[in-house]
Amino acid sequence: MNPSMTKILYLVTEDWFFVSHFLPMARAARDVGMEVVVAARVRDHAGRLETEGLRVIPLNIERRSLGLLEGVRNLVQACSIIRAERPDIVHCIALRPVVLGGLAARLAGARALVLAPTGLGHLWTERGPVARLVRKVVRFTIARLRGARTRFLFENRDDPREFGLDPAAPEVTVVGGAGVNPADFPMRPEPPVPPLKVAVVARMIAAKGIADAVEAVRRARARGAPVELHLFGEPDPSNRGSIPESTLRQWAGEPGVAWH
């Protein structure tokens, strides 16, 4: 690579998440002449990223764990990568990389920092004492990462306020979520009914409302409504709210519910 080329390092938990949500952003950086490096837990998408001209570095961050030792290990690993790569910009994606990667970037002397918490996830929905403590730590850390060369990226205007940030401030940018391409889903005639078929396409985790959808179909069918629920997706063992496969199979054994 040209030594004068601006280098951006993305720190993200999963390669598949980066491909599904941030690949267009990385392409834009590449197309303006940046060297793009992605540090992520490598699953099945490293090859896809490399064909885009992006360099991939394995980064083993376990999203499920809130343990101190795991956090320290992640911090050391991120700091080592940043010091080795010496990027001009460190772009941290999701809460855990934002906190640990942001601290690592500061310790390693990164020139500029972009913090993108995306969604607040299960940490903001859990009500236990550990979750409350971790939320305080996250808020405290993010407040200390603010500075003249730090920018925040959110997907809605409510989340910045959780960290004491003004959504209209110059340091905050709000962009829409990844969404879908409408051209891939053209309008079609409604299927004949009954039954009414409802599909939930998502990771099988509690925060996606999977159990609520199952209960809604139970109640509707109990009242005689001809409705079916089809669940499309896999559990996510690294998410603390992952629904066990045994539960999904149990639900799929009920009338009107299917898991694909």
Side-chain angles (χ1 to χ4, degrees):
M1 288 293 182
N2 186 336
S4 64
M5 181 181 293
T6 299
K7 180 190 289 188
I8 182 168
L9 170 66
Y10 290 95
L11 293 177
V12 61
T13 49
E14 306 281 358
D15 60 353
W16 57 262
F17 178 66
F18 188 84
V19 167
S20 67
H21 287 67
F22 285 86
L23 185 53
M25 192 175 293
R27 286 174 178 151
R30 176 202 64 196
D31 292 346
V32 298
M34 289 186 180
E35 179 184 356
V36 181
V37 183
V38 180
R41 179 155 60 173
V42 175
R43 299 289 195 181
D44 303 317
H45 292 76
R48 169 76 183 279
L49 293 172
E50 289 168 349
T51 61
E52 296 279 351
L54 316 182
R55 188 155 52 85
V56 179
I57 298 175
L59 174 65
N60 188 21
I61 289 182
E62 178 50 65
R63 291 176 287 123
R64 172 184 285 268
S65 174
L66 295 177
L68 178 61
L69 290 179
E70 178 69 12
V72 170
R73 188 185 70 81
N74 295 159
L75 177 65
V76 171
Q77 187 180 12
C79 196
S80 175
I81 291 172
I82 294 169
R83 282 179 172 159
E85 292 294 325
R86 301 184 63 179
D88 299 282
I89 304 169
V90 177
H91 187 146
C92 305
I93 299 170
L95 273 177
R96 194 178 187 95
V98 161
V99 173
L100 299 175
L103 286 173
R106 281 283 188 265
L107 292 171
R111 300 178 187 178
L113 189 58
V114 178
L115 303 178
T118 60
L120 300 183
H122 63 82
L123 186 58
W124 253 253
T125 58
E126 291 187 8
R127 292 292 178 260
V130 174
R132 287 197 297 270
L133 175 61
V134 175
R135 283 196 292 271
K136 290 181 179 179
V137 172
V138 170
R139 289 187 176 109
F140 177 84
T141 303
I142 288 180
R144 298 305 179 276
L145 292 174
R146 296 176 70 175
R149 295 182 63 80
T150 298
R151 295 293 181 267
F152 295 88
L153 184 64
F154 293 94
E155 293 184 356
N156 61 67
R157 297 182 63 82
D158 294 328
D159 288 354
R161 297 185 177 93
E162 291 289 329
F163 305 102
L165 297 167
D166 181 355
E171 63 185 328
V172 174
T173 299
V174 178
V175 298
V180 297
N181 184 355
D184 292 338
F185 299 91
M187 183 180 296
R188 296 179 180 177
E190 291 190 14
V193 293
L196 173 67
K197 296 183 179 181
V198 179
V200 176
V201 184
R203 285 178 294 153
M204 295 292 107
I205 60 177
K208 301 298 183 182
I210 310 301
D212 296 330
V214 172
E215 180 60 23
V217 167
R218 285 176 183 152
R219 295 186 183 187
R221 290 181 66 90
R223 294 185 178 188
V227 59
E228 294 179 1
L229 174 65
H230 293 261
L231 303 174
F232 294 87
E234 297 179 348
D236 180 2
S238 289
N239 189 292
R240 292 166 64 85
S242 182
I243 299 172
E245 184 173 328
S246 58
T247 300
L248 292 166
R249 294 191 181 281
Q250 179 182 336
W251 287 341
E254 300 182 19
V257 180
W259 173 49
H260 306 271

